[in-house]
Amino acid sequence: FYSSTTFLCRIYISDRSIAYSLLRLLDRIRIPLAKIIVETMNVSLTPELEQFIQSQVESGKYSSSEEVILAAIKQLEVRENIYKGRFEELQRSIMIGVEASERGELIDSEIVFQQLQQKLQQRREQAS
């Protein structure tokens, strides 16, 4: 049962496959829908990148060039999150050192360099 009132809803979905799936679903349950707007972004690729993307699709790993690009962007997002976490960890370590120095808990630089050289030597020996 639908009323005669018109309902306008704009849906912005960046993934075309999701947008079209939603459109098919709404059509199946007979909800009138005037338009689904799919926002797009045009990106210029070098011929080498285009060839690489096409080779990934032809290999069967991906079903479309969009899928290859989405996988790459997801990997970039993962990498950025890892770097962000490492950066935050480094900031915390620096703050611990600053707070320790403010309390007068300092180590002579000669001792620090000796300890670093010993650790480096141990790692070299373990690697051999």
Side-chain angles (χ1 to χ4, degrees), residues 67-86:
E67 199 175 307
V68 176
I69 292 169
L70 285 174
I73 292 170
K74 287 177 185 175
Q75 273 300 110
L76 175 62
E77 183 180 21
V78 166
R79 189 178 81 188
E80 290 298 316
N81 287 336
I82 289 170
Y83 286 139
K84 181 182 177 190
R86 288 181 181 166

Side-chain angles (χ1 to χ4, degrees), residues 103-125:
R103 292 189 303 267
E105 301 171 7
L106 303 172
I107 301 174
D108 185 68
S109 62
E110 292 294 323
I111 295 171
V112 171
F113 283 110
Q114 286 175 356
Q115 291 174 344
L116 289 172
Q117 287 175 340
Q118 288 172 353
K119 285 183 181 182
L120 181 60
Q121 185 62 34
Q122 289 172 351
R123 288 187 180 172
R124 286 180 181 160
E125 290 171 1

Side-chain angles (χ1 to χ4, degrees), residues 25-102:
L25 173 67
L26 292 171
D27 186 54
R28 256 188 262 141
I29 59 175
R30 304 204 188 286
I31 294 178
L33 182 69
K35 186 193 280 191
I36 288 185
I37 299 170
V38 179
E39 288 189 15
T40 59
M41 179 184 295
N42 295 320
V43 178
S44 298
L45 300 173
T46 64
E48 295 83 10
L49 284 175
E50 286 182 22
Q51 185 178 7
F52 175 74
I53 291 168
Q54 190 58 37
S55 72
Q56 294 299 299
V57 174
E58 289 170 359
S59 74
K61 293 178 189 174
Y62 301 93
S63 61
S64 67
S65 57
E66 289 87 0
E67 199 175 307
V68 176
I69 292 169
L70 285 174
I73 292 170
K74 287 177 185 175
Q75 273 300 110
L76 175 62
E77 183 180 21
V78 166
R79 189 178 81 188
E80 290 298 316
N81 287 336
I82 289 170
Y83 286 139
K84 181 182 177 190
R86 288 181 181 166
F87 181 73
E88 290 170 353
E89 183 180 324
L90 180 60
Q91 285 180 316
R92 285 190 297 272
S93 295
I94 290 170
M95 286 308 300
I96 290 170
V98 168
E99 290 167 359
S101 71
E102 289 172 350

